[in-house]
Amino acid sequence: VILPPVKRLNFMKLHVSRRDEIHRSKLDRNRKPKRTFRYYFVPIFVVLVLLGIPFFFSYASFFSIQEIRIEGLTTVVPSDVENFARIELDRKRLGLFPQKSTFFLHKKRLQERVQSEFSFSETSVTLYHRELVISASEPIAEIIFLNQATYFFLDLTGGIVAPLNASERNGIRM
């Protein structure tokens, strides 16, 4: 007896009759897809993470500036410059992020503000991990200038270094 060849079934495919396929496709056309929990949760989670990252970097104590060091001053009291720098670090950037964070510190603006406040000849601001270093060099007074009743120290470029106070005037012989 010779048997006819047997058709092999592919068990990886789903064997569905043609009638069931037609019936299922009509049902699918009329039904809206079901929104899953993942459909809503993932975008909300991504937005929250993206909003939370800047706040983490600005308010985490690991990224905040802990120490301010002042270098190169002779006549100006370093604590005055340090207090001024602390006031500048307490300001907020964009109204949200404190500049105490190493990521949101605007070094160039801090350098310009220290330069204009104390009229140093040179100023540099560097950041080493959690320590802010402000290096400044003061202009050297070379000449005393009398303008009506006021005395001034002048440097060699003609810029006013500082006015003379009463105790410094007593030591001047004319």
Side-chain angles (χ1 to χ4, degrees):
V1 172
I2 297 178
L3 295 173
V6 178
K7 184 178 177 187
R8 288 185 61 185
L9 296 177
N10 187 351
F11 291 103
M12 299 302 286
K13 290 185 177 179
L14 190 61
H15 296 286
V16 181
S17 68
R18 181 86 176 129
R19 182 175 48 94
D20 290 341
E21 287 180 15
I22 294 170
H23 180 68
R24 189 175 300 142
S25 65
K26 286 180 184 176
L27 288 176
D28 288 343
R29 273 187 257 141
N30 296 334
R31 188 172 34 150
K32 291 182 180 176
K34 183 180 176 185
R35 305 280 170 138
T36 60
F37 174 73
R38 202 177 333 171
Y39 180 81
Y40 294 108
F41 180 72
V42 170
I44 291 172
F45 181 73
V46 168
V47 168
L48 289 177
V49 167
L50 290 178
L51 290 176
I53 287 173
F55 283 100
F56 173 73
F57 283 123
S58 61
Y59 290 106
S61 63
F62 182 73
F63 299 112
S64 65
I65 296 172
Q66 298 295 322
E67 187 179 337
I68 299 175
R69 190 174 62 192
I70 311 297
E71 295 177 346
L73 297 182
T74 55
T75 59
V76 176
V77 181
S79 64
D80 292 343
V81 179
E82 183 177 345
N83 291 338
F84 181 77
R86 286 200 189 281
I87 290 170
E88 288 297 315
L89 290 178
D90 286 338
R91 292 185 183 207
K92 295 200 182 264
R93 194 141 183 219
L94 301 173
L96 295 172
F97 308 111
Q99 291 195 47
K100 283 184 181 178
S101 172
T102 57
F103 290 101
F104 294 105
L105 175 66
H106 198 294
K107 290 189 282 190
K108 186 174 181 182
R109 185 178 297 152
L110 178 63
Q111 178 179 348
E112 290 170 356
R113 292 189 57 100
V114 168
Q115 177 84 23
S116 67
E117 177 71 22
F118 295 99
S119 66
F120 294 134
S121 59
E122 264 185 46
T123 308
S124 67
V125 175
T126 52
L127 185 64
Y128 297 111
H129 303 290
R130 296 168 65 180
E131 179 181 27
L132 181 71
V133 179
I134 300 174
S135 301
S137 63
E138 301 174 81
I140 299 171
E142 300 286 337
I143 302 169
I144 297 175
F145 175 69
L146 173 63
N147 183 10
Q148 295 176 357
T150 310
Y151 291 89
F152 295 103
F153 280 126
L154 299 179
D155 61 359
L156 292 178
T157 62
I160 296 175
V161 173
L164 269 74
N165 56 25
S167 63
E168 293 171 335
R169 283 189 215 154
N170 294 337
I172 298 173
R173 288 185 295 166
M174 294 266 188

